[in-house]
Amino acid sequence: MDTNFTNELPTKTKIKETYETYVPYLTAIMQNIETKLQQNIRLSSQPTYKARVKSFDSYYKKILHVKPHEAAKSDELVSLTDMIGIRVICAFLEDLSVVLGELRPLFKIKEIEKKGASQNFREFGYESIHVLVAIPDDCIPRSESFSGLTLPADTVCEIQIRTILQDAWAEVEHELIYKSEFSPFDLPLRRKLASMNASLSLADIIFQEIRDYQKKLQGEMEERRRSFYEKADELDSLKPETLSSGAAKIERVSPYVKGTIDDMLLEAIHAHNTGDLEKAVRIYTQIIESKPKPDKTVLAVIHKHRGMAFFAQSEYEKSLADFKASEEVDKTNFRAIYYEGIVYSILKKNSEAIACYTRSLELNEYQSHAFYRRALAYYDIHDYGRAMQDITAAQKLGLNSDACRALHDKLVAQFDMNV
């Protein structure tokens, strides 16, 4: 027997003893890094985490494959790039780049690999971003129980960034492929796996497209709501006889091609925000007349939007009718009731406005603007006590606008208070 060859073989028992001595130490480091990630990564939909220290069997198998000579010659721990592994599992594709960007200031990055980025549609390897980071000093445990243990200089933690579907595929792939051997007769199975992988990848893309659509729609709705409040604020100080019952005609941009309700709504809100109010009203009306089913709350939303478009055209009676219709369809629609109150306030019908604000607040008591507008209505009818209660509630909920402070100062003057 060649004794030199025998001496170059790694000794499993020695390697196991060394590795298992380090496992608690590596586990503590892993937990510290995971905590660091949880405290610093911020997404709209927070990720979940999976963390593990490599089992000895997996460690030893890989050592024999990649570092057998080093393991045979050393009595110290031989490091692998994936001894410590943490997965950051995100809801959407867009989150992957966000997490990667947030890792950069937290760690010294050694390597970034995008798994599966180069594969074609016939292949079935999983997709994932693998980031190797140096172990931060603030993640090294200082417990006396670990005294004498030092990590090799090249020790890293592997952080994998995946979507939920990418992680699900990787788990299944690991069982079906990594732990087994494929023969040349496995071509039909390979095709099935490739098909499944493509389906999951497509699902991720569709989820992201829906997410993008929602963001666009939400942005349009926020802009529409902002402009609605701005007009309400401008009109608050006007007298009823100065309010026009009509509005200037706005030239139509182009004929509308009817699509899905979601597409129609987005198109209508965009037209609303860009000032094409006639087009917005026309599309809202098309949706209402189509009698969308089965969810009647769709009608409540569309009536509310059309009411805001009529309001922007100074068509206050039509606006009020739509807000009432929205409330009729959805009795819990506190915002439509609040908008009713705004219209009544503009028309200087303070009693009706107060009743609407009150009903809205009974459904949702955390509306600072509803308290503020009810305070204005109370002020107009000289009920300064209730007005002060409401303006105080609005400020307590965080409303601190110039108009809010101005009303508070007026009320203070009425009570001859010194604040």
Side-chain angles (χ1 to χ4, degrees):
M1 180 180 289
D2 187 340
T3 56
N4 289 332
F5 175 75
T6 304
N7 291 336
E8 290 179 0
L9 291 175
T11 305
K12 183 175 182 179
T13 55
K14 183 187 70 174
I15 295 172
K16 183 175 183 179
E17 181 180 348
T18 300
Y19 187 72
E20 290 185 345
T21 299
Y22 271 86
V23 165
Y25 189 50
L26 296 174
T27 301
I29 292 171
M30 175 194 71
Q31 292 170 342
N32 290 339
I33 294 176
E34 183 179 2
T35 298
K36 190 180 185 78
L37 291 169
Q38 291 172 338
Q39 291 175 343
N40 289 277
I41 291 179
R42 293 288 178 265
L43 300 174
S44 57
S45 178
Q46 279 300 95
T48 56
Y49 298 85
K50 294 180 182 178
R52 64 100 182 100
V53 171
K54 205 171 188 67
S55 70
F56 173 72
D57 287 342
S58 295
Y59 172 81
Y60 183 66
K61 186 185 294 185
K62 191 166 185 178
I63 282 290
L64 293 182
H65 182 63
V66 300
K67 292 185 176 181
H69 300 301
E70 185 177 342
K73 295 176 181 178
S74 176
D75 291 329
E76 302 298 325
L77 177 71
V78 177
S79 67
L80 295 175
T81 56
D82 60 349
M83 287 191 306
I84 303 171
I86 299 175
R87 293 181 193 170
V88 184
I89 304 170
C90 308
F92 300 100
L93 286 170
E94 68 177 355
D95 296 334
L96 304 183
S97 58
V98 174
V99 172
L100 181 59
E102 292 185 346
L103 291 183
R104 296 184 186 279
L106 297 177
F107 303 97
K108 181 179 180 181
I109 294 178
K110 297 287 191 177
E111 181 183 318
I112 299 174
E113 181 183 6
K114 295 186 177 181
K115 298 276 189 178
S118 60
Q119 68 192 33
N120 65 46
F121 70 93
R122 291 188 179 91
E123 297 173 319
F124 51 82
Y126 72 87
E127 294 185 40
S128 181
I129 300 175
H130 290 203
V131 185
L132 301 184
V133 302
I135 308 300
D137 289 339
D138 60 358
C139 291
I140 301 294
R142 308 302 177 188
S143 171
E144 291 184 5
S145 60
F146 300 133
S147 61
L149 297 180
T150 56
L151 293 173
D154 61 345
T155 303
V156 294
C157 172
E158 182 183 63
I159 300 175
Q160 301 176 357
I161 313 170
R162 301 174 179 171
T163 65
I164 295 170
L165 295 183
Q166 287 172 352
D167 187 62
W169 168 255
E171 293 283 4
V172 174
E173 184 206 41
H174 185 76
E175 293 296 322
L176 295 181
I177 303 170
Y178 183 77
K179 290 185 176 182
S180 65
E181 296 292 335
F182 268 84
S183 73
F185 300 102
D186 288 319
L187 182 58
L189 291 179
R190 286 177 175 271
R191 286 173 173 168
K192 288 179 181 179
L193 287 167
S195 176
M196 284 300 300
N197 187 30
S199 296
L200 289 172
S201 297
L202 178 61
D204 255 337
I205 292 169
I206 292 173
F207 284 149
Q208 184 61 55
E209 288 177 348
I210 293 171
R211 181 72 159 179
D212 292 341
Y213 181 93
Q214 288 176 329
K215 285 185 176 181
K216 184 176 180 181
L217 181 58
Q218 185 63 34
E220 295 283 6
M221 290 175 69
E222 289 296 330
E223 174 61 22
R224 187 251 318 125
R225 189 176 294 127
R226 183 194 62 77
S227 63
F228 175 81
Y229 290 150
E230 280 187 353
K231 176 161 186 179
D233 289 338
E234 290 173 3
L235 297 176
D236 267 333
S237 60
L238 298 179
K239 296 179 180 179
E241 57 268 22
T242 66
L243 299 176
S244 171
S245 59
K249 298 295 181 182
I250 298 175
E251 185 178 351
R252 295 183 181 184
V253 176
S254 61
Y256 181 72
V257 178
K258 188 173 182 179
T260 67
I261 288 178
D262 285 334
D263 289 338
M264 294 172 74
L265 178 58
L266 183 58
E267 181 76 7
I269 294 176
H270 180 72
H272 192 153
N273 290 340
T274 55
D276 194 347
L277 298 175
E278 286 190 358
K279 179 179 180 180
V281 168
R282 186 171 68 253
I283 300 172
Y284 290 141
T285 302
Q286 285 179 350
I287 299 174
I288 291 170
E289 290 176 349
S290 72
K291 299 179 180 179
K293 296 177 180 180
D295 190 354
K296 290 185 177 181
T297 57
V298 173
L299 275 176
V301 171
I302 305 305
H303 273 296
K304 183 176 66 177
H305 289 330
R306 191 174 70 172
M308 297 172 83
F310 280 136
F311 183 88
Q313 292 178 305
S314 302
E315 296 278 3
Y316 300 119
E317 294 301 329
K318 291 181 180 179
S319 173
L320 192 60
D322 263 334
F323 292 145
K324 287 181 179 294
S326 180
E327 180 191 358
E328 183 64 28
V329 174
D330 180 5
K331 301 295 185 183
T332 65
N333 194 343
F334 64 88
R335 190 165 278 120
I337 302 171
Y338 168 55
Y339 292 166
E340 286 180 52
I342 290 178
V343 178
Y344 281 127
S345 289
I346 297 303
L347 298 175
K348 299 302 179 183
K349 296 182 178 181
N350 289 304
S351 296
E352 291 89 339
I354 290 169
C356 288
Y357 296 140
T358 301
R359 293 203 330 273
S360 181
L361 286 166
E362 286 171 351
L363 292 170
N364 180 359
E365 62 183 328
Y366 302 108
Q367 300 179 78
S368 58
H369 284 86
F371 277 113
Y372 165 69
R373 291 196 176 277
R374 192 171 69 174
L376 284 173
Y378 278 133
Y379 185 85
D380 279 353
I381 63 173
H382 309 297
D383 191 339
Y384 302 126
R386 287 194 175 94
M388 178 59 83
Q389 289 177 353
D390 276 352
I391 204 65
T392 301
Q395 291 175 320
K396 190 174 182 180
L397 287 172
L399 185 61
N400 195 31
S401 64
D402 291 341
C404 187
R405 289 193 297 272
L407 179 58
H408 183 270
D409 291 344
K410 288 180 181 179
L411 289 166
V412 169
Q414 288 291 337
F415 288 105
D416 194 24
M417 297 177 178
N418 293 316
V419 178

